[in-house]
Amino acid sequence: MNESGKRLGKLVELARRGRPETEPAGSPAFTARVIAQWSADRDGAPDWLGELIRLGRVGLAFALVVLLASVVFHRPTPSGAGDLLAAFAGIEPSAMSGL
Amino acid sequence: MATGDIELSGCLERVRQRDEAAARVLVERVQPLVEKLVRAHLPRNDDVEDLMQDVFLKLFSRLGQYRGQVPFEHWVSRVAVSTCVDRLRAQKRRPVTRWTDLSESEQRLVDSLAAEVPAGAPELDAWGVMEKLLAALSPAERLIISLADMEQKTIQEISELTGWNSGVVRIRAFRARQKLKSLYQELEAGRL
């Protein structure tokens, strides 16, 4: 171990002994505060609402995957997704009609 | 199964059914453990009770995921540790501790480390310097130094507390110590 490492070792040893001991924070008032907050959270957001939000997110992700798949795998034609792709790529749709 | 386990599983079941009296018993049962962990990994200037409250609310919301595969206290430890790490992530990390960031007494202490440390060396100053160095580490690195070097926990104990396997704990401890060493060298270099 080099000199700097030895000095760090001494610092760690001293710091270990110097960690401040503090009085416990836990008290009946703290317990009551936690329970009150837990009850408020439960009342504010019922289980069915959380489930609905979760299902909504899953549905949105699925729709996004379907949309991306349709754009990627759709044949480039002058209509539909082909137009959309051409618009994004800045190509004149008529230029793609021969593809 | 011990009587305590039967009582605990009954209590957990009642909490899952939204029994407030059971929730109160649960909070009182694990509060000393949660408080010990929160105090050990508390981000700088953070409020102990505020962070403990976050831990308990997370415990209650995840209680349905506890299947009894590990002792309940281990599961509680993991939730507490992950809550502390999340809070640390949310805080802006101090880039590097410079010599001028140290107080005069902390500078004197670091100077004295080159020689034999005198009896009655200011341990609180040592903790102050250490806290500043730890603040520049990532949450996981800070956590592992606190557990391994400050609390002197074994690899097995750290693994149980964090849920990381022992190989991961070893690697992270090695990297964290290397980084701490390099930060300390930078700190000393700034004195010149």
Side-chain angles (χ1 to χ4, degrees), chain A residues 20-43:
Chain A
E21 293 289 331
T22 39
E23 290 298 310
S27 62
F30 170 76
T31 307
R33 188 155 66 102
V34 170
I35 302 299
Q37 185 64 48
W38 178 53
S39 300
D41 286 356
R42 182 188 57 191
D43 298 340

Side-chain angles (χ1 to χ4, degrees), chain B residues 70 73-83 159-163:
Chain B
V70 291
E73 276 72 14
H74 289 185
W75 185 76
V76 170
S77 300
R78 289 176 195 180
V79 174
V81 164
S82 74
T83 309
S159 181
E160 283 165 2
L161 278 171
T162 57

Side-chain angles (χ1 to χ4, degrees), chain B residues 116-143:
Chain B
E116 275 301 305
V117 178
E123 293 162 354
L124 259 175
D125 285 332
W127 172 244
V129 177
M130 200 58 199
E131 244 200 328
K132 285 173 181 148
L133 290 169
L134 288 175
L137 297 177
S138 74
E141 290 163 343
R142 182 190 161 124
L143 176 71

Side-chain angles (χ1 to χ4, degrees), chain A residues 7 16 23 25-26 39, chain B residues 20 31 35 39 49 149 188:
Chain A
R7 290 193 291 274
R16 191 182 300 138
E23 290 298 310
S39 300
Chain B
E20 288 191 9
Q31 191 172 298
E35 185 168 350
R39 282 191 187 280
E49 288 205 359
D149 295 335
E188 283 191 328

Side-chain angles (χ1 to χ4, degrees), chain A residues 67-87 93 96-99:
Chain A
L67 182 71
L68 282 173
S70 70
V71 168
V72 171
F73 295 110
H74 198 281
R75 285 188 61 202
T77 62
S79 62
D83 280 351
L84 186 67
L85 197 59
M96 297 178 74
S97 59
L99 297 175

